[in-house]
Amino acid sequence: MILLGRSALYLAFVFALYAVAASLIGRARGKPALLRSGENAAFAVAYLTTLAVVSLLVLLVSRQFQVEYVANYTSRHLPWYFRLTALWAGQAGSLLFWSWLLTIYSTVVLLRRDDSVRDLYPGVVAVLMAVFAFFIGLVTFMSNPFRLLPFTPADGAGLNPILQHPAMVIHPPSLYLGFVGMTVPFAFAMAALIAGQAGPAWLKVIRRYALFAWLFLSLGNLLGARWAYVELGWGGYWGWDPVENSAFMPWLAGTAFLHSIMIQEKKGMLKIWNMVLITLTFSLTILGTFITRSGVISSVHSFTQSGIGPFFAAFLGGIGVFSFGMILYRRPLLRSERTLESFASRESSFLFNNLILLVAAFAILTGTVFPIISEAVRGVKITVGPPFFNRIMIPIGLILLFLTGVGPLIAWRRASWKNIRRNFVVPVVAGLAVIPLMLAGGVRSFYAITSFTLSGFVLATIVQEFWKGVGARRSISGLSAPMAFFSLLARSRRRYGGYIVHLGVLLVMIGITGNAFKKENQAVLEPGQKFQLGNYEMTFLEMREQETSLKTRVEARVEVRQSGRALGVMLPAKEFHQTRAADQPSTEVALRSTPKEDLYLILASFDGETAVLKAYINPLVNCLWLGGLVVMLGTTLAAWPDKRDKRRALSYSFEVEEAVA
Amino acid sequence: MRRWRFVIAFTVIAAAMGYLVLNGFDRSMVYYLTVNELLVRGASAGENVRVAGVVVAGSIEKDPRALSLRFLVEDKTGGGRTIPVSYAGLVPDTFQEKSDVVVEGTLGSDGVFHAQTLMAKCPSKYEGQYENLEKKGSVRAATSQAG
């Protein structure tokens, strides 16, 4: 198995290089046979990488502890599913996993070949395989999961108990599907530049890939937050640490890209901008992979020590030089077909949305990599913490929320007063109506009031759009209102899918705003004593200990009442895993979740019969999770394949005009 | 409308955003030092610094009832000199003897480091087993208390 895995890695590396060379030379010399051979090499690479992945999985499952990677991330008693998911628990395995996903994407791309962009494929294969060669090269030569230990340990180190959670099983693959997926649009963009075909054709092909990647980036971020919330036990879900930031930045850039390609598709503008955006998005996914896999930022002076750091830096530099070089070289082809006419236009509002999203990504990037930069420049690491990110991201989030309402409704080219009145009177009134409600409800936080006002505005724009759409469908088809609603969704998936995504984002923003009303309290309690938080009253009953073969669980039984009404017993606990060092506990949160708020209870520590409890009230957190689901639903709808796709391809420009109108 | 008006408008907006970022930066910058670096450099009164080191074995004094903690940190490269740290708050699950820790806080005039934030990474059996995701956990556990 070890030999098989290793040979597969070497061969995959060689074949990938061959695929790059064959595609480029075949294109330059116009030799179809060579091009076909390049594509076949890409298929072979997919096969070989799969072989390597399967080999590693077999080693993990069959507990071959003489393999360093297996010893580091699994142990005898780890259940089989966690042994499988240990594939992406460490650097070597996850880089292999990354490469493998890329080969799956490239296989899909080649199998779903679109002949309308026939000339792009050599470039696509070359770029995909070049990226693959970089990663598999790292796996093969720098961070090989098949490396052996000089001895065979009796047992492995095991998987950290905090990672043994369902969300952690799907969070990394989901994030990686998103990260890796952004390579496909990047490859098509570069192929379009290589082939000198900067028209809208490539956008049409990549739209669905980009949405797919974006969907999984969103899911990955959401699952990460969910995992942090239920598993880490500090009362929140987002701490602006480098690992979170590195998943969030490509999401921001990708969001900007998905918006601005609409402008190019419909108006032939922003061509250079889109090339820049997809390059940034792709680079941020590479950077994100590096940050999550190397731990470079959180440790002092580790950049120079991290073996793979310089390679990533060089790779990112190479991507930058290549793509900006290509953009400059093809500049004549990327000239805009129109110019902006007015600030009050859809084009401007999209451009503005792009600008804000990029500023957000840039701010987070600066805050995240500043330690590395300052170390390189001044020899000292300087960091910025969550206060920095919060100070910047709250206003940016509010501006984006506002634009979420404006963008889809404002007229193209130049909005007339009539257009503005027709589309915005109701939403503005709805938004403003929120303010007295908030004040009457005792809300005084400026940001919270602004956020809810904007939320009211955006919600009204979305409802209004559905209202108009359903009305129009009914008058055309005579359907009942619910049927007209579904018919609307089915017929204009892109448009209404987009609105549903916006609705989800709105819910997420409301959930985040809930943080403004967060409350916490902690107490040292003897059995029978109680403490208060908000209108909750918590009585500590007793400590209880449970032992199983794998772990000891120490839990506090806490009786909870809300305004006198009994809610039952909550059981915050600490668990001590036998496979780990005995003094490393893992905190098990007790959570009581309602649509209005979560009561979040932690056993901070205990001493004999005394318990130290910490409680949080987290208002509206469920809006966040629900919003995330709505975003995914909307994205799926917007990306769902259409039976009319073939017809649509023929009358593409016509359909676009229809969707715009 | 002419192109330059847009260029100016977007430049102004970008500049305003840039200012927001830089200003936020200025106000939340913190030096990130090793224990030995802090011992050499010192820290002015009230200056927030972030320090990385290793928990000295046998130095942890816990008072579970008060949720407070005292321990010594030494440099990862050794050197024998230590800094006493006091901390009150939730302790990350990964905190234990010989953990790699990062503390953020102020150095008191008495030489005790008063940490508002404590992050920890557990010691590993094998070289190369530093698992980023583990750290991710502790980092978040700690950052919450800062925020």
Side-chain angles (χ1 to χ4, degrees):
Chain A
M1 268 307 151
I2 298 163
L3 191 65
L4 183 68
R6 279 193 190 164
S7 342
L9 287 182
Y10 280 110
L11 283 174
F13 181 67
V14 173
F15 272 71
L17 291 181
Y18 171 76
V20 176
S23 304
L24 291 180
I25 296 170
R27 206 193 86 78
R29 304 249 170 93
K31 290 198 171 131
L34 203 52
L35 289 179
R36 246 193 328 277
S37 158
E39 286 183 13
N40 288 338
F43 284 119
V45 162
Y47 174 72
L48 288 165
T49 316
T50 308
L51 208 59
V53 167
V54 171
S55 309
L56 185 56
L57 286 177
V58 169
L59 292 172
L60 283 167
V61 171
S62 59
R63 306 183 178 89
Q64 304 286 316
F65 294 126
Q66 77 272 26
V67 178
E68 186 187 33
Y69 190 81
V70 179
N72 272 347
Y73 298 104
T74 63
S75 61
R76 274 188 196 290
H77 299 289
L78 203 65
W80 63 270
Y81 42 91
F82 285 128
R83 286 208 295 275
L84 280 179
T85 56
L87 174 62
W88 51 76
Q91 180 180 287
S94 57
L95 289 177
L96 174 61
F97 183 59
W98 206 106
S99 319
W100 183 54
L101 289 180
L102 185 58
T103 65
I104 294 176
Y105 274 115
S106 48
T107 307
V108 172
V109 166
L110 288 177
L111 289 180
R112 294 182 52 97
R113 167 191 299 280
D114 184 333
D115 278 329
S116 64
V117 288
R118 199 180 305 115
D119 298 343
L120 298 190
Y121 283 92
V124 170
V125 171
V127 174
L128 288 176
M129 285 299 116
V131 174
F132 173 83
F134 169 74
F135 275 94
I136 211 71
L138 282 183
V139 175
T140 315
F141 303 110
M142 297 299 301
S143 186
N144 196 317
F146 297 103
R147 192 160 51 204
L148 294 177
L149 286 168
F151 59 99
T152 304
D155 196 358
L159 191 66
N160 191 320
I162 61 172
L163 298 180
Q164 299 181 18
H165 183 270
M168 258 301 133
V169 173
I170 36 180
H171 162 71
S174 156
L175 208 54
Y176 273 33
L177 269 176
F179 274 9
V180 183
M182 287 297 176
T183 314
V184 177
F186 173 72
F188 272 96
M190 291 304 112
L193 290 178
I194 293 171
Q197 296 188 351
W202 72 277
L203 288 176
K204 191 174 64 104
V205 181
I206 58 98
R207 179 181 163 269
R208 205 157 275 146
Y209 290 105
L211 274 175
F212 186 82
W214 188 86
L215 174 70
F216 279 95
L217 263 186
S218 313
L219 178 66
N221 273 292
L222 194 73
L223 286 171
R226 177 72 195 170
W227 169 78
Y229 187 62
V230 297
E231 196 69 7
L232 292 183
W234 56 265
Y237 44 79
W238 194 266
W240 296 113
D241 81 46
V243 174
E244 291 164 329
N245 293 349
S246 62
F248 189 42
M249 291 184 287
W251 187 89
L252 290 167
T255 308
F257 177 69
L258 284 175
H259 283 91
S260 78
I261 57 174
M262 293 185 223
I263 303 290
Q264 180 172 346
E265 272 185 80
K266 286 162 193 175
K267 295 279 149 175
M269 297 160 70
L270 306 181
K271 288 178 188 168
I272 295 182
W273 182 242
N274 283 329
M275 290 291 172
V276 172
L277 272 184
I278 191 58
T279 303
L280 285 178
T281 308
F282 172 67
S283 306
L284 286 173
T285 66
I286 300 294
L287 183 72
T289 309
F290 172 57
I291 290 175
T292 40
R293 276 347 307 183
S294 66
V296 57
I297 284 165
S298 20
S299 47
V300 182
H301 302 225
S302 58
F303 184 64
T304 41
Q305 291 159 18
S306 134
I308 58 173
F311 291 96
F312 269 94
F315 186 53
L316 280 170
I319 294 168
V321 168
F322 174 74
S323 48
F324 289 109
M326 283 308 292
I327 292 171
L328 278 182
Y329 172 62
R330 293 294 188 190
R331 213 172 21 169
L333 288 174
L334 296 170
R335 204 161 286 144
S336 195
E337 289 157 32
R338 281 166 229 247
T339 54
L340 285 173
E341 291 180 37
S342 159
F343 285 117
S345 68
R346 192 171 300 185
E347 292 91 326
S348 298
S349 82
F350 271 52
L351 201 55
F352 195 47
N353 133 307
N354 269 229
L355 189 70
I356 303 283
L357 282 166
L358 276 198
V359 168
F362 173 73
I364 297 176
L365 178 67
T366 322
T368 308
V369 301
F370 197 73
I372 301 183
I373 299 171
S374 71
E375 190 195 0
V377 175
R378 294 180 46 199
V380 202
K381 268 200 172 180
I382 297 176
T383 62
V384 290
F388 164 76
F389 294 106
N390 288 333
R391 192 174 297 138
I392 299 204
M393 290 309 289
I394 291 173
I396 284 179
L398 292 175
I399 298 173
L400 278 176
L401 186 57
F402 173 69
L403 289 173
T404 308
V406 173
L409 292 195
I410 197 160
W412 291 96
R413 294 179 60 198
R414 183 190 294 275
S416 63
W417 272 111
K418 200 175 139 219
N419 161 274
I420 292 173
R421 264 203 311 276
R422 197 182 61 200
N423 285 326
F424 292 107
V425 168
V426 175
V428 167
V429 170
L432 292 177
V434 174
I435 298 177
L437 286 178
M438 288 286 113
L439 291 173
V443 179
R444 291 292 178 274
S445 150
F446 168 75
Y447 279 139
I449 292 176
T450 314
S451 170
F452 287 134
T453 305
L454 290 173
S455 302
F457 165 71
V458 177
L459 180 65
T461 62
I462 297 171
V463 170
Q464 178 180 270
E465 279 300 284
F466 273 100
W467 185 267
K468 282 183 184 165
V470 169
R473 272 293 334 115
R474 289 189 69 181
S475 65
I476 294 169
S477 61
L479 292 165
S480 67
M483 286 311 292
F485 176 77
F486 286 116
S487 146
L488 190 70
L489 289 186
R491 290 179 72 92
S492 312
R493 288 181 191 157
R494 288 185 67 164
R495 182 175 180 176
Y496 291 95
Y499 289 150
I500 292 175
V501 172
H502 281 181
L503 184 67
V505 169
L506 175 73
L507 286 169
V508 169
M509 293 298 280
I510 292 175
I512 293 172
T513 310
N515 278 321
F517 313 106
K518 194 172 175 134
K519 291 193 192 104
E520 59 175 89
N521 192 11
Q522 66 182 49
V524 184
L525 300 167
E526 304 292 337
Q529 289 185 325
K530 49 183 80 163
F531 77 119
Q532 289 272 341
L533 175 61
N535 56 6
Y536 292 96
E537 184 187 76
M538 285 149 287
T539 312
F540 169 54
L541 301 175
E542 56 172 345
M543 297 297 295
R544 206 163 59 176
E545 204 176 299
Q546 289 166 338
E547 224 168 305
T548 65
S549 64
L550 287 177
K551 64 190 177 195
T552 307
R553 178 183 165 93
V554 181
E555 62 186 20
R557 290 170 48 80
V558 183
E559 191 185 65
V560 182
R561 292 178 163 271
Q562 185 177 26
S563 315
R565 192 166 59 92
L567 298 177
V569 174
M570 288 172 72
L571 303 168
K574 284 205 183 286
E575 290 184 349
F576 300 84
H577 289 252
Q578 246 88 85
T579 46
R580 281 261 151 186
D583 50 353
Q584 195 203 315
S586 80
T587 303
E588 301 293 312
V589 177
L591 192 61
R592 186 179 183 280
S593 196
T594 64
K596 183 170 164 258
E597 64 196 14
D598 285 9
L599 177 64
Y600 188 102
L601 202 55
I602 307 161
L603 176 61
S605 75
F606 60 91
D607 182 21
E609 276 299 300
T610 312
V612 184
L613 294 176
K614 179 143 193 167
Y616 295 88
I617 294 179
N618 293 323
L620 302 173
V621 177
N622 275 324
C623 270
L624 180 81
W625 315 127
L626 178 68
L629 292 178
V630 173
V631 165
M632 277 173 254
L633 191 77
T635 314
T636 311
L637 183 70
W640 198 261
D642 203 322
K643 274 186 211 131
R644 296 176 301 168
D645 260 2
K646 287 238 168 66
R647 182 170 69 83
R648 192 167 275 228
L650 294 173
S651 58
Y652 186 63
S653 55
F654 168 74
E655 292 273 334
V656 165
E657 288 305 317
E658 185 190 71
V660 169
Chain B
M1 209 191 303
R2 290 208 185 88
R3 201 189 173 90
W4 57 264
R5 287 179 62 181
F6 281 94
V7 174
I8 292 173
F10 282 104
T11 313
V12 167
I13 293 162
M17 291 285 166
Y19 174 76
L20 190 75
V21 174
L22 289 178
N23 183 42
F25 229 85
D26 231 28
R27 290 206 275 164
S28 49
M29 274 190 343
V30 172
Y31 276 92
Y32 191 7
L33 307 165
T34 61
V35 170
N36 284 349
E37 282 171 344
L38 180 67
L39 284 166
V40 171
R41 177 184 172 276
S44 47
E47 186 200 11
N48 236 343
V49 285
R50 183 184 276 217
V51 183
V54 180
V55 180
V56 176
S59 73
I60 301 176
E61 298 167 39
K62 268 186 190 165
D63 182 356
R65 290 170 191 248
L67 261 185
S68 74
L69 186 69
R70 291 176 72 93
F71 58 93
L72 298 173
V73 284
E74 63 181 351
D75 204 276
K76 210 171 175 178
T77 57
R81 298 178 66 191
T82 59
I83 300 176
V85 179
S86 83
Y87 170 75
L90 288 178
V91 179
D93 291 337
T94 38
F95 178 84
Q96 54 185 286
E97 287 179 356
K98 296 181 191 163
S99 296
D100 285 345
V101 286
V102 177
V103 286
E104 191 174 321
T106 52
L107 189 61
S109 52
D110 52 355
V112 177
F113 191 87
H114 300 276
Q116 278 100 51
T117 312
L118 170 66
M119 317 174 208
K121 185 166 74 165
C122 51
S124 26
K125 271 192 220 161
Y126 302 101
E127 193 52 50
Q129 199 224 324
Y130 289 111
E131 178 37 54
N132 189 254
L133 286 168
E134 288 174 10
K135 212 162 45 207
K136 175 172 169 177
S138 51
V139 167
R140 289 200 221 187
T143 40
S144 69
Q145 278 138 48

